[in-house]
Amino acid sequence: MPAADVAWMLAAFAVVLIMFPGLSLFYGGMAGTKNALNMMMMCMSTLATVSVVYVLFGHGIVVGDSIGGIIGNPSGFWGFLGIYEDPGEPMVSDPFWFAFYILFAAITVAIVASAAVGRMKFSAWLVFSLVWVTLVYLPLGHWVFGGGWMREHLDFHDYAGGTAVHMASGMGALALAFVLGPRRNTQMRPHSLPLVLVGVAMLWMGWIGFNAGTAGGANFLAQYVTLTTLLAGSTGMIGFCLVERLRDGRATTLGMCSGVIAGLVGITPAADGVDALGAMALGLAAGAVVAWACTWKTKLGIDETLDAFAVHGIGGIVGSLCVVLFGYAGSPAGIEGILFGGDWSILLAEIAAIGATCGYALVMTFVIAKVLDKLIGLRASDEDEYDGMDLSQHAETAYDAA
């Protein structure tokens, strides 16, 4: 492996790390002025909690020797011991991969935080994030990435985490919001759309590192998925804004930003399996379907505040199904979509993977939240919620009005 591969992977790691302040700005801008800092802290704190879990036992659960196809051996990489031998030549080795996988896990948990804006105690969030990554993300990571039953027995396709990252976080956010209940003031509007736009730009840049870094080096696959990631994010804007225009009579900045994220979520499982036209069709479909799905929370009566369920859960499902439909036989993945004569068996495998991921994440998150609510209480007091989470949980305010 040439030194250029190592250089690219280190650069990819750096831009993926930018996704954390990017997500903080994206979600923080959508929160009210009294809850912006709390939302940002919840997103950033996942780097701390997940890093501890991952070093102690998390990596073993994901990639350790499989125990019945359900989890890896938790002691397999305890403390990251035994990974520090210098290979003596330029190559991407274990210390890098272990760090890269931490970012995958931490950003998944950070997305779930969107469901708790304005009403969850920060201390309770820290406990919840530790338990959630352990009982939800790590087993799913083993199923999808680490040799678990889905990887071994289902011929499904997931390039970079449409299942374990996006569907899991979307369903987790829905379940957490259901347990927490609605905010006292559900009329709170996004307080800074410019921050939202800056956050989306940082996330888009990080997504290139996320998808192209998954290629493992400075190679053709990295270039290929960079193109498809760009195109899907771009047409995601179009799909979301078209639905807004038809439904509400106008397109919005928030809709445009949400459409970008929907397209990027959709392309994550399919980036190596569609061509340019397929990527654009996928982004358009993801943006449009997500815009429609954002209206579901009102009908469901669930205050899933920042639409992680729609954007990540439904967007991930759309992307997984689109690779089945639009798969390009000449792509690195070599998948021929059923619209072009491909085998229908891949659709059944994809549906099975979607069902298993969504069902597990939804049910397990509900159980975790219910149990923790009984044990420690998840919801902040009425007074704290009225004062805002920034002041009541952190004794700070995002803006000084004096």
Side-chain angles (χ1 to χ4, degrees), residues 131-223:
V131 177
W132 194 89
V133 73
T134 301
L135 297 183
V136 179
Y137 177 81
L138 296 180
L140 282 173
H142 183 68
W143 298 1
V144 175
F145 305 125
W149 70 271
M150 282 171 57
R151 177 60 61 191
E152 292 298 313
H153 302 295
L154 286 180
D155 188 22
F156 76 108
H157 185 76
D158 185 354
Y159 172 68
T163 48
V165 175
H166 295 294
M167 292 179 211
S169 59
M171 296 300 162
L174 181 66
L176 178 60
F178 181 79
V179 174
L180 285 173
R183 292 163 293 165
R184 306 287 183 241
N185 177 15
T186 57
Q187 303 305 311
M188 191 179 300
R189 295 177 60 82
H191 86 277
S192 178
L193 290 176
L195 284 185
V196 172
L197 185 58
V198 171
V200 166
M202 295 169 70
L203 285 168
W204 203 340
M205 180 168 62
W207 231 289
I208 298 296
F210 194 92
N211 284 353
T214 301
N219 51 38
F220 176 75
L221 178 57
Q223 299 170 66

Side-chain angles (χ1 to χ4, degrees), residues 23-383:
L23 189 68
S24 299
L25 291 173
F26 179 55
Y27 284 158
M30 283 198 282
T33 54
K34 293 182 177 182
N35 299 309
L37 293 179
N38 175 253
M39 188 73 260
M40 293 176 176
M41 285 190 66
M42 290 174 78
C43 291
M44 292 297 293
S45 69
T46 62
L47 278 169
T49 54
V50 171
S51 291
V52 172
V53 167
Y54 221 82
V55 170
L56 293 180
F57 55 81
H59 197 65
I61 292 178
V62 175
V63 302
D65 294 337
S66 189
I67 301 174
I70 305 301
I71 63 170
N73 183 356
S75 65
F77 295 93
W78 188 89
F80 282 6
L81 301 176
I83 69 167
Y84 309 116
E85 182 178 351
D86 187 343
E89 58 181 315
M91 62 181 297
V92 181
S93 53
D94 283 346
F96 172 85
W97 285 118
F98 286 25
F100 201 54
Y101 294 146
I102 286 173
L103 298 188
F104 274 58
I107 200 67
T108 306
V109 185
I111 295 167
V112 180
S114 65
V117 62
R119 59 201 188 277
M120 188 174 184
K121 295 184 292 186
F122 185 66
S123 57
W125 165 252
L126 295 177
V127 175
F128 174 86
S129 64
L130 285 167
V131 177
W132 194 89
V133 73
T134 301
L135 297 183
V136 179
Y137 177 81
L138 296 180
L140 282 173
H142 183 68
W143 298 1
V144 175
F145 305 125
W149 70 271
M150 282 171 57
R151 177 60 61 191
E152 292 298 313
H153 302 295
L154 286 180
D155 188 22
F156 76 108
H157 185 76
D158 185 354
Y159 172 68
T163 48
V165 175
H166 295 294
M167 292 179 211
S169 59
M171 296 300 162
L174 181 66
L176 178 60
F178 181 79
V179 174
L180 285 173
R183 292 163 293 165
R184 306 287 183 241
N185 177 15
T186 57
Q187 303 305 311
M188 191 179 300
R189 295 177 60 82
H191 86 277
S192 178
L193 290 176
L195 284 185
V196 172
L197 185 58
V198 171
V200 166
M202 295 169 70
L203 285 168
W204 203 340
M205 180 168 62
W207 231 289
I208 298 296
F210 194 92
N211 284 353
T214 301
N219 51 38
F220 176 75
L221 178 57
Q223 299 170 66
Y224 192 98
V225 300
T226 295
L227 173 63
T228 56
T229 302
L230 170 68
L231 295 176
S234 299
T235 55
M237 273 193 256
I238 299 172
F240 200 107
C241 289
L242 277 176
V243 171
E244 278 193 317
R245 183 74 175 84
L246 294 171
R247 183 184 62 207
D248 307 322
R250 62 184 62 84
T252 66
T253 305
L254 183 59
M256 181 185 73
C257 292
S258 298
V260 170
I261 302 300
L264 295 174
V265 168
I267 200 63
T268 298
D272 65 335
V274 294
D275 63 1
L277 292 175
M280 289 194 293
L282 184 155
L284 189 69
V289 173
V290 165
W292 172 55
C294 284
T295 65
W296 294 357
K297 63 183 179 184
T298 303
K299 297 174 183 178
L300 292 172
I302 299 174
D303 185 14
E304 205 275 287
T305 315
L306 304 184
D307 293 315
F309 165 66
V311 175
H312 294 272
I314 302 301
I317 291 171
V318 171
S320 293
L321 294 177
C322 279
V323 71
V324 174
L325 295 174
F326 307 136
Y328 172 52
S331 68
I335 295 173
E336 187 170 29
I338 58 178
L339 293 182
F340 307 108
D343 193 329
W344 281 79
S345 64
I346 189 175
L347 176 61
L348 298 177
E350 211 73 15
I351 291 174
I354 291 169
T357 301
C358 293
Y360 180 79
L362 186 68
V363 172
M364 185 57 74
T365 304
F366 178 83
V367 171
I368 291 169
K370 274 292 189 182
V371 170
L372 289 180
D373 193 35
K374 293 291 185 182
L375 294 177
I376 62 175
L378 299 180
R379 188 76 184 250
S381 68
D382 291 357
E383 182 180 358

